[in-house]
Amino acid sequence: MANNGFSRSPLLLKGALIEFSERFIGPLPNIIIFQYNPASMSRSLEVYNPFQTEEVTDEEGQVQSVNYSISADAQPHDPPESFSLELELDATDDLEIGDPIAVATGVADRIAALEMLLYPQEESLLGELLGAISVSIGGGGASASTSAAAEPVPRGRVPVLLFVWGPGRILPVRLTSFNVDEQAHSPILYPTQAKVSLGVQVLTLNELNAYQDSMSKDLAIAAYKFTRKQKQVLAASNVANTVQSILGMLPF
């Protein structure tokens, strides 16, 4: 929250991205607060088409159109939702007060924090410790070649990420696009002003359930359900406000 200097003005909530990294013991939040809230934000929901067809060839070589929908009112899953926004980063104020990080790196630290959301997280300290204990206990029971063959190929994973836009919109997301426009630089060429364009895809319950069980997964599912419940409450409020108008419009 930030105060704009006027005592009677409401506190301004700032948007943020919260990364739950499990590089340590348990998920630790890395909160990236937006320096300035974007002036605008685009949001889209993908509409499921129950009338979609696909051409297939039968055993006799005839091309036929097949409708895969069960019925016209079919909706097999929550609609995929995505956001796109631009973040303004500026080190001018921090440079004026002599902030040591801004003097040394400008806004490069903020850009790096955003970029790291795209990188696979390293093995957690707890995981490395358990692995070392397992190797010590299992010691000489198998040859090196056998152990190497049995070891699974590591698969990189990005941490769970929450997009926070006020109390009514806290959603688990995955970054889908990332672009940086560095607009000014320090004498040693660190960026001091930059614009970061982000695209994020909201993760639905079906996608979250495929994640490995963890505390951060539970937090992501809880956030999704919380935001969806608020959307249902807002929709119900709109229905209550328009009942009288609808009754006046119906001819029967």
Side-chain angles (χ1 to χ4, degrees):
M1 294 183 180
N3 198 327
N4 60 11
F6 296 95
S7 59
R8 289 193 158 191
S9 299
L11 292 175
L12 175 64
L13 290 176
K14 289 190 176 182
L17 291 170
I18 302 178
E19 170 200 16
F20 288 94
S21 175
E22 298 189 13
R23 297 182 177 93
F24 304 99
I25 299 176
L28 296 178
N30 174 27
I31 304 175
I32 303 173
I33 300 175
F34 300 162
Q35 185 178 7
Y36 310 106
N37 284 339
S40 64
M41 180 173 63
S42 299
R43 185 167 65 96
S44 64
L45 281 81
E46 183 179 321
V47 179
Y48 175 75
N49 179 14
F51 307 106
Q52 57 188 337
T53 60
E54 182 177 337
E55 290 187 349
V56 298
T57 304
D58 59 20
E59 296 179 353
E60 299 178 356
Q62 300 294 324
V63 177
Q64 298 180 351
S65 295
V66 178
N67 189 341
Y68 289 98
S69 175
I70 300 174
S71 63
D73 60 354
Q75 181 65 37
H77 48 68
D78 290 355
E81 184 176 7
S82 59
F83 296 84
S84 59
L85 59 154
E86 291 185 345
L87 302 180
E88 300 282 349
L89 305 179
D90 193 333
T92 302
D93 292 341
D94 292 332
L95 290 172
E96 287 183 355
I97 62 175
D99 180 88
I101 297 178
V103 171
T105 64
V107 295
D109 59 322
R110 304 174 199 171
I111 296 174
L114 291 168
E115 288 181 1
M116 287 305 297
L117 301 177
L118 301 170
Y119 285 79
Q121 60 183 350
E122 295 86 1
E123 180 68 37
S124 69
L125 295 180
L126 179 61
E128 292 180 355
L129 177 61
L130 293 177
I133 294 174
S134 176
V135 170
S136 299
I137 294 175
S143 65
S145 59
T146 304
S147 300
E151 183 178 352
V153 177
R155 183 180 65 181
R157 295 183 298 114
V158 292
V160 171
L161 183 64
L162 295 183
F163 172 65
V164 180
W165 190 259
R169 197 176 297 165
I170 305 173
L171 292 163
V173 298
R174 174 72 188 262
L175 285 175
T176 55
S177 64
F178 188 98
N179 184 71
V180 181
D181 179 16
E182 298 183 2
Q183 300 170 329
H185 295 84
S186 69
I188 55 175
L189 298 184
Y190 276 117
T192 56
Q193 293 179 345
K195 180 184 294 183
V196 181
S197 301
L198 298 178
V200 299
Q201 177 80 33
V202 176
L203 300 175
T204 64
L205 292 179
N206 287 341
E207 292 161 337
L208 290 171
N209 285 330
Y211 275 50
Q212 295 181 5
D213 290 336
S214 64
M215 188 181 300
S216 54
K217 171 185 174 180
D218 295 338
L219 288 170
I221 291 175
Y224 183 90
K225 291 181 176 179
F226 172 78
T227 301
R228 183 176 180 181
K229 181 61 66 176
Q230 289 205 66
K231 188 178 293 189
Q232 292 171 339
V233 171
L234 290 172
S237 300
N238 179 68
V239 171
N241 291 332
T242 57
V243 167
Q244 295 296 329
S245 299
I246 293 175
L247 292 177
M249 294 170 58
L250 296 177
F252 48 84

